[in-house]
Amino acid sequence: MLPYLTQFKKGRKPKVALWRIVKAIIYRLKTGTQWRELPIKQFFGRTSINWNTVYYHYNKWSKLENWKNLWTHYLSKNRSDIDLSICHLDGSHSPAKQGGEGVAYSSRKRCKTTNSLFLTDKNGIPVAMSVPQGGNHHDAFELEKNMQTMLVDLNKANIRHEGIFLNADAAFDTNSFRSFCSHMDIVDNIDFNKRNRKDIDNQPFKDEKMYDLRFAIERTNAWLDAFKAILTRYETKIHTWQSLHYLAFTLIFIRDRQKIKLNS
């Protein structure tokens, strides 16, 4: 990870190796502990470093999009391990306890939430994420714009989207999104929204066996929930909240590739 994280020549200079700071950030991501409650002695021993130093570096790297660039470079270097014969699209609402950017009340969740869209490969490995938005918006809100952003991120990783099959649930069943997919050479396999399509005879084609593979993204949500700092949002800035996801994506990918090597 370190080659993709900026080493600051100005400002405060860490008195420990950067990999130790990254390890403390991963601990926070995994456990969900507050930044100020990080077990500093466990990671740095008897030094004058405190939790502010860890957060300072995390926040700086987030503002510079280092975590996103890390994930993009990792995808690019390991394209052969990504199976984009089928992709899965889904949304996720995270309770937001501190308010902040991209936060709004969700009547369905009965609390303030942030809604994000995730795109995964056939096996559920995350490959892209939308810009988080307030939970008062449904998954189809500005869907084409959000999907376009995710496709641009894939392109930065030198991954082509043309010709992929896209699984998505009924929340994404809109004529405009289906037209967008067709324009982008994506074959949509979206469940039918009964409220929008009452004429059964004129429903679009749906491959049931392919749609059954969508369970992979439900498993992805469970993987992400294991990172407690993502399960509930305490970050008030979008860039720090989104960066936690890119770091989680990287860790999930590393773990998955290690399992493949062990089984081969």
Side-chain angles (χ1 to χ4, degrees):
M1 296 182 181
L2 293 182
Y4 304 104
L5 300 177
T6 302
Q7 299 189 34
F8 310 117
K9 297 181 179 180
K10 297 182 179 180
R12 69 181 73 176
K13 297 181 180 179
K15 299 178 181 180
V16 297
L18 286 181
W19 69 265
R20 292 184 180 274
I21 293 177
V22 173
K23 192 173 182 180
I25 293 170
I26 292 175
Y27 176 89
R28 195 266 165 176
L29 169 65
K30 184 64 179 177
T31 64
T33 188
Q34 297 179 14
W35 289 104
R36 64 179 64 251
E37 298 299 329
L38 284 172
I40 296 300
K41 290 184 179 180
Q42 174 181 327
F43 292 105
F44 308 111
R46 296 181 180 275
T47 66
S48 59
I49 282 181
N50 58 33
W51 68 270
N52 281 293
T53 301
V54 179
Y55 181 75
Y56 170 83
H57 281 80
Y58 173 74
N59 188 40
K60 280 286 189 178
W61 287 330
S62 296
K63 287 181 177 179
L64 295 172
E65 295 192 337
N66 280 183
W67 301 110
K68 182 176 182 178
N69 293 336
L70 163 66
W71 173 236
T72 300
H73 285 295
Y74 206 90
L75 277 181
S76 180
K77 286 189 174 182
N78 298 278
R79 293 193 304 275
S80 60
D81 295 321
I82 301 295
D83 187 349
L84 288 183
S85 58
I86 299 174
C87 281
H88 311 291
L89 177 65
D90 199 11
S92 178
H93 283 260
S94 301
K97 298 298 184 180
Q98 300 293 334
E101 300 171 347
V103 173
Y105 183 79
S106 170
S107 57
R108 183 164 63 91
K109 295 291 184 177
R110 297 183 179 180
C111 64
K112 290 183 178 180
T113 68
T114 292
N115 186 24
S116 304
L117 302 182
F118 299 104
L119 188 67
T120 75
D121 78 344
K122 179 180 179 180
N123 299 312
I125 299 299
V127 294
M129 174 186 182
S130 71
V131 176
Q133 56 192 14
N136 59 324
H137 298 302
H138 50 72
D139 290 342
F141 177 75
E142 295 187 344
L143 179 54
E144 294 77 26
K145 177 182 177 181
N146 288 327
M147 189 65 179
Q148 179 66 52
T149 300
M150 290 190 282
L151 295 181
V152 169
D153 288 342
L154 281 183
N155 184 61
K156 291 179 181 178
N158 297 316
I159 296 177
R160 300 185 64 85
H161 64 270
E162 291 85 357
I164 64 173
F165 292 83
L166 180 67
N167 273 335
D169 63 26
F172 300 93
D173 181 21
T174 68
N175 291 330
S176 59
F177 185 57
R178 289 182 184 272
S179 297
F180 172 84
C181 289
S182 177
H183 177 72
M184 301 302 294
D185 292 328
I186 295 173
V187 182
D188 67 83
N189 194 51
I190 303 173
D191 197 9
F192 311 126
N193 189 326
K194 296 180 180 179
R195 291 176 298 179
N196 297 338
R197 303 185 183 280
K198 298 179 181 180
D199 187 354
I200 298 178
D201 294 333
N202 292 325
Q203 288 181 348
F205 175 76
K206 172 188 169 187
D207 189 313
E208 293 291 347
K209 290 185 177 180
M210 184 186 299
Y211 188 78
D212 287 342
L213 298 176
R214 189 181 166 277
F215 78 91
I217 198 169
E218 301 297 342
R219 183 176 59 198
T220 305
N221 290 329
W223 290 342
L224 292 174
D225 287 348
F227 297 95
K228 302 307 180 184
I230 287 179
L231 182 61
T232 301
R233 176 180 173 180
Y234 287 93
E235 309 293 328
T236 58
K237 299 295 184 180
I238 283 181
H239 69 268
T240 55
W241 171 242
Q242 198 167 18
S243 291
L244 287 175
H245 287 79
Y246 288 121
L247 178 55
F249 293 170
T250 304
L251 296 175
I252 289 172
F253 198 11
I254 291 173
R255 180 194 63 189
D256 186 75
R257 294 183 72 244
Q258 289 176 337
K259 288 182 177 180
I260 292 175
K261 289 181 179 180
L262 290 174
N263 294 331
S264 61

